[in-house]
């Protein structure tokens, strides 16, 4: 927590796509963060595929950076698409790298999860797989309220704006709850 008492959350998007709905959603969450909470973001694109041989030589710089940012954050916010009913490989890869000992940084960390997909289930299956990973890592994923945005192509404009008021209300509720979740677990 910052000296001013601001809750500092690190947002991580699970898509590398330039026009990604989930990257737009993370940007929107940053804009909509309630007072007393600030959301920064971390780009996972530079993280290479996990290789235990490389880890034995030390964490690559982007992984060091990610681990340091996770450790420094009061909480995390994952914003992810669903790939083949599960977590996109790039996001799982980043989590796998960051999770390796010593001092795996997810332990006891408050976590929020949101997602947008083009299908009708709004990333529910990816989100539940993400929760399962954090059982092993003891990441404390908030249970409700969930934000699962289906048919994102009908909700986001081409420049990434979200004009659907009901969805904006879900996002606002999630962010307020995440702030309370972080403070509760402090
Ligand atoms: C490899 C792959 C698998 C996908 N699997 C699913 C899926 O299981 N469920 C779903 O709703 N959409 C699926 N999609 C479509 C995504 O919802 C869509 O590409 C979405 O725009 C990805 O999020 P993004 O805009 O943040 O990149 C898949 C897309 C890709 C590339």
């Amino acid at each position: 927590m910052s000296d001013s008492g601001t809750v500092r959350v690190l947002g991580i998007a699970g898509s590398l796509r330039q026009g990604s709905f989930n990257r737009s959603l993370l940007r929107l969450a940053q804009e909509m963060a309630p007072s007393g909470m600030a959301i920064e973001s971390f780009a996972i694109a530079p993280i290479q595929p996990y290789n235990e041989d490389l880890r034995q030589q030390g964490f690559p710089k982007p992984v060091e950076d990610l681990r340091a940012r996770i450790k420094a954050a009061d909480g995390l916010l994952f914003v992810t698409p669903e790939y083949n009913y599960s977590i996109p490989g790039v996001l799982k890869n980043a989590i796998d790298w960051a999770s390796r000992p010593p001092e795996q940084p997810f332990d006891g960390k408050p976590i929020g999860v949101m997602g947008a997909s083009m299908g009708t289930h709004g990333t529910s299956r990816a989100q539940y797989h993400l929760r399962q990973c954090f059982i092993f890592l003891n990441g404390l994923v908030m249970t409700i309220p969930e934000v699962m945005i289906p048919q994102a192509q009908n909700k986001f404009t081409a420049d990434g704006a979200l004009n659907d008021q009901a969805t904006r209300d879900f996002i606002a509720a999630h962010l307020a709850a995440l702030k309370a979740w972080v403070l509760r677990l402090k």
Side-chain angles (χ1 to χ4, degrees), residues 4 29 32 53 64 81 83 90 163 169 186:
S4 62
M32 289 178 64
D53 295 336
E64 284 278 19
Y83 279 4
V90 289
N163 297 320
D169 291 346
K186 197 172 159 287

Side-chain angles (χ1 to χ4, degrees), residues 119-177:
T120 52
H121 287 70
T123 74
S124 57
R125 293 153 297 211
Q127 292 198 25
Y128 294 138
H129 282 187
L130 201 53
R131 285 174 188 278
Q132 183 175 313
C133 295
F134 286 118
I135 292 170
F136 178 58
L137 297 170
N138 196 35
L140 306 178
V141 184
M142 186 173 72
T143 48
I144 54 168
E146 296 173 317
V147 175
M148 297 170 170
I149 305 175
Q151 300 184 320
Q153 69 279 19
N154 299 330
K155 304 216 167 76
F156 286 87
T157 63
D159 57 1
L162 177 70
N163 297 320
D164 186 80
Q165 189 54 48
T167 306
R168 293 180 76 95
D169 291 346
F170 282 125
I171 295 165
H174 187 96
L175 294 172

